[in-house]
Amino acid sequence: MTQVPSISKTAPQPGKLQRAWQIFLRYKYVYLMFVPVAIYYMMFHFIPMAGAVIAFEDYSPRGGLFGSDWVGLQHFKDFFGSVYFWRLMRNTLVINLYGLFFGFPAPIILALMLSEVRKTGFKRTVQTITYMPHFISVVVAAGIILDFFAFDGLVNEVLKLLGINPQMFMTEPNYFYGIFVGSGIWQNVGWDSIIYLSTISAIDPTLYEAAVVDGAGRWAKLRHVTFPGILPTIIIMLILRIGNMLSVGFEKVLLLYNPSIYETADVISTYVYRMGLLNNDYSYSTAVGLFNSVVNFTLLVGANYFSKKMGDNSLW
C-alpha cells in the first residue's frame, strides 16, 4: 500500500510586532525602570547636541541658534593656529597618559592583593579606607590638596623634618602633573577596584582546585587563574579609558590651577570654560569642545576595533 504523506499542521508564527509586544510584557518592569534613564540621556545628552551647530557660526544671542552668520570651519582653523593649541594638547595628553600608566593598573593591583587576603577583618578595613576618598566632593578634595601642598602645609612640614627645603608645590608648573595624577589615584583606587573584586569573586572555584592539584602555589594561581579571569574586564575598562583620553576632570583642574602654572595645568576643558563663559566666545569654545569629542570618539572606536582584532573582547 502506498502511504500518503501526512501534512503537518503548524501553528502560525507570530509577527515581529507581536513578538516584540510579548517580550515587552514579559520584561515590562525592566523597561519601566529604564524610562528615567532614557529621559535623562535624551534631555541632557542628545537634545543639547543640536547646540553643536554654533561651532560653525558666529553665534549671537540676537540671531539665535539658526539665525547667526555661518562661518564654516573658521573657528577650528583659529584653534589649530592658536598659540595655545599645542600646550593644551600636550597637557591633556600627558595627564591622561600618566593616569593610564599609573592610575589604571592601581585598582587592578589592589583588587589582586585584596583577593589574596584571608583575614576578613583586615580586608574590610582596607576596603573601607580605600573607598572613603571617593565619597569626598571635588571641592573638599581640592581644598585638602591645596592645604597639604601649601608652603606651610603638611607635606612641607614633613620635608623640613627630613632636612629638605620647603617647595612651592602649587606655584611650580613641574609639580602639577604628579599632584593631579597622584591625588586622582588616592581618590579612586578603592572605588575602581570594586568591579575587579566582583569579577574575581565570580571565577569558578574549581579552577583554583584544579590548580592546587597540579601543584600551583599562590603566585601561580594568581598568574594562571585569577588574572586571566579578570582580563576581559580589564580590556573593556581599558577601551573606555582610551575613549576618554582627551577628557580630564574639569572641576578638579579648575580648583587646583592658577595662572602661574597654566604652562602645565591648562587643559582643553578649562580652556573651553575660560573662552566660553569668561570671554563669552560661545562659538569658538563650542568648536574646541566639539573637536575634543570627535577625537575621543575616534580613539574609542579605534581601541575597540584593535581589541576586537587582537581577541574576542570588545564593546560591540
Side-chain angles (χ1 to χ4, degrees), residues 112-129:
L112 292 174
M113 293 172 65
L114 288 175
S115 68
E116 295 299 314
V117 176
R118 296 294 175 259
K119 293 185 178 181
T120 306
F122 177 77
K123 183 177 181 178
R124 291 178 178 176
T125 302
V126 173
Q127 286 178 304
T128 303
I129 293 173

Side-chain angles (χ1 to χ4, degrees), residues 35-109:
V35 169
V37 179
I39 293 174
Y40 167 79
Y41 277 97
M42 185 63 65
M43 291 184 61
F44 297 102
H45 291 271
F46 288 100
I47 294 177
M49 288 176 65
V53 71
I54 70 175
F56 307 93
E57 299 176 340
D58 186 11
Y59 176 78
S60 65
R62 175 177 295 182
L65 193 63
F66 301 104
S68 301
D69 296 332
W70 188 264
V71 297
L73 300 176
Q74 185 60 45
H75 297 303
F76 295 92
K77 294 178 182 178
D78 293 341
F79 176 59
F80 296 149
S82 170
V83 295
Y84 301 109
F85 175 74
W86 290 112
R87 185 182 78 178
L88 297 171
M89 291 296 295
R90 182 199 65 205
N91 292 341
T92 306
L93 286 174
V94 168
I95 289 175
N96 276 284
L97 287 174
Y98 280 2
L100 184 65
F101 291 142
F102 298 104
F104 183 76
I108 301 173
I109 296 172

Side-chain angles (χ1 to χ4, degrees), residues 35-263:
V35 169
V37 179
I39 293 174
Y40 167 79
Y41 277 97
M42 185 63 65
M43 291 184 61
F44 297 102
H45 291 271
F46 288 100
I47 294 177
M49 288 176 65
V53 71
I54 70 175
F56 307 93
E57 299 176 340
D58 186 11
Y59 176 78
S60 65
R62 175 177 295 182
L65 193 63
F66 301 104
S68 301
D69 296 332
W70 188 264
V71 297
L73 300 176
Q74 185 60 45
H75 297 303
F76 295 92
K77 294 178 182 178
D78 293 341
F79 176 59
F80 296 149
S82 170
V83 295
Y84 301 109
F85 175 74
W86 290 112
R87 185 182 78 178
L88 297 171
M89 291 296 295
R90 182 199 65 205
N91 292 341
T92 306
L93 286 174
V94 168
I95 289 175
N96 276 284
L97 287 174
Y98 280 2
L100 184 65
F101 291 142
F102 298 104
F104 183 76
I108 301 173
I109 296 172
L110 177 62
L112 292 174
M113 293 172 65
L114 288 175
S115 68
E116 295 299 314
V117 176
R118 296 294 175 259
K119 293 185 178 181
T120 306
F122 177 77
K123 183 177 181 178
R124 291 178 178 176
T125 302
V126 173
Q127 286 178 304
T128 303
I129 293 173
T130 55
Y131 292 169
M132 286 176 62
H134 177 78
F135 299 98
I136 301 175
S137 69
V138 179
V139 176
V140 175
I144 293 173
I145 295 169
L146 290 174
D147 288 340
F148 274 34
F149 287 93
F151 188 76
D152 56 350
L154 177 64
V155 176
N156 275 320
E157 291 298 325
V158 173
L159 293 178
K160 289 179 183 178
L161 294 176
L162 298 175
I164 303 174
N165 293 328
Q167 303 293 321
M168 299 290 292
F169 289 106
M170 302 312 300
T171 57
E172 288 290 336
N174 295 332
Y175 294 120
F176 183 79
Y177 292 155
I179 292 174
F180 185 87
V181 175
S183 61
I185 295 173
W186 164 69
Q187 281 185 272
N188 300 313
V189 64
W191 183 259
D192 292 343
S193 68
I194 292 177
I195 188 171
Y196 301 109
L197 286 170
S198 62
T199 306
I200 292 173
S201 64
I203 297 176
D204 189 354
T206 58
L207 296 176
Y208 291 102
E209 296 172 1
V212 172
V213 171
D214 291 337
R218 178 170 291 187
W219 172 251
K221 289 189 292 184
L222 186 69
R223 180 182 177 185
H224 297 290
V225 179
T226 306
F227 187 77
I230 65 173
L231 186 59
T233 304
I234 293 175
I235 294 175
I236 296 299
M237 299 302 293
L238 181 61
I239 293 172
L240 294 173
R241 186 67 175 263
I242 293 176
N244 288 312
M245 280 298 292
L246 290 187
S247 297
V248 181
F250 159 76
E251 298 89 352
K252 187 177 174 182
V253 176
L254 189 65
L255 292 168
L256 290 179
Y257 81 161
N258 56 74
S260 63
I261 57 174
Y262 276 174
E263 184 62 29

Side-chain angles (χ1 to χ4, degrees), residues 302-314:
N304 186 76
Y305 176 81
F306 180 77
S307 176
K308 195 172 184 179
K309 286 294 183 181
M310 296 298 293
D312 298 328
N313 300 301
S314 62

Side-chain angles (χ1 to χ4, degrees), residues 238-306:
L238 181 61
I239 293 172
L240 294 173
R241 186 67 175 263
I242 293 176
N244 288 312
M245 280 298 292
L246 290 187
S247 297
V248 181
F250 159 76
E251 298 89 352
K252 187 177 174 182
V253 176
L254 189 65
L255 292 168
L256 290 179
Y257 81 161
N258 56 74
S260 63
I261 57 174
Y262 276 174
E263 184 62 29
T264 57
D266 198 18
V267 294
I268 293 177
S269 57
T270 54
Y271 182 70
V272 170
Y273 164 77
R274 290 204 312 276
M275 298 303 296
L277 295 182
L278 300 185
N279 295 345
N280 298 324
D281 196 346
Y282 304 115
S283 295
Y284 181 76
S285 61
T286 303
V288 178
L290 183 59
F291 161 76
N292 189 20
S293 300
V294 170
V295 174
N296 278 334
F297 177 75
T298 304
L299 289 172
L300 176 63
V301 174
N304 186 76
Y305 176 81
F306 180 77

